[in-house]
Amino acid sequence: NKQKRLYVLDSIGKLLLRLSIGGMILLRGLYKIVHGVDGVKHLLHIHHIPEILAYGVYITEVIAPLFVIIGWKSRFWALWIVFDMVMAIFLTKQSAIYHLTSNGAWGIETQALFLFGALSIACIGAGRYAISNH
């Protein structure tokens, strides 16, 4: 049945999106587990934001991507990743928004990919291959 095949492909696409966005954000979080959040604290300090908030990256870059990957309340956790990327752009890449790199890439290409990928997950949900379909 063509409709059933499309449903399966739709669910596989959602799974691949969750695995790729969640997996790549998780790697950033694992780096911070190993190396700490001093760099984030410094960025927050520069912007006059309380440094204690640096520990929030463990939620946005470890817990949220894990739940996105397994598909538990993916829409909710994807919004945490969206917030993380908005903050990353604000703290580190504001000037890059309006520029291209030397090879023609958008200055915030990676962050934008994560942001819009997570926003897509928040909009479309986890799909069939998930702990919950929300």
Side-chain angles (χ1 to χ4, degrees):
N1 179 335
K2 183 179 179 180
Q3 200 169 27
K4 185 174 182 172
R5 272 194 320 253
L6 290 176
Y7 176 71
V8 170
L9 288 174
D10 178 71
S11 291
I12 290 171
K14 290 176 181 178
L15 173 64
L16 290 172
L17 181 62
R18 288 189 356 254
L19 291 175
S20 60
I21 297 297
M24 287 184 281
I25 294 292
L26 181 59
L27 291 174
R28 290 169 170 254
L30 294 175
Y31 178 88
K32 289 177 179 84
I33 288 173
V34 172
H35 298 284
V37 294
D38 287 343
V40 179
K41 284 182 180 180
H42 176 71
L43 291 168
L44 292 172
H45 177 77
I46 291 170
H47 288 87
H48 309 290
I49 299 171
E51 292 177 22
I52 190 76
L53 296 177
Y55 295 99
V57 299
Y58 295 125
I59 295 170
T60 60
E61 295 184 7
V62 177
I63 294 170
L66 281 173
F67 287 138
V68 165
I69 289 168
I70 66 172
W72 184 71
K73 299 189 184 235
S74 292
R75 292 177 192 257
F76 172 78
W77 291 108
L79 289 174
W80 282 87
I81 296 171
V82 168
F83 174 75
D84 183 58
M85 287 300 108
V86 168
M87 289 304 297
I89 293 166
F90 170 74
L91 294 172
T92 66
K93 298 282 188 174
Q94 284 184 44
S95 63
I97 292 172
Y98 307 104
H99 299 290
L100 298 178
T101 65
S102 60
N103 64 353
W106 188 19
I108 62 165
E109 186 174 83
T110 301
Q111 293 79 12
L113 178 63
F114 292 150
L115 188 153
F116 292 119
L119 192 56
S120 296
I121 294 166
C123 290
I124 64 176
R128 178 181 186 179
Y129 306 116
I131 290 178
S132 70
N133 291 337
H134 308 294

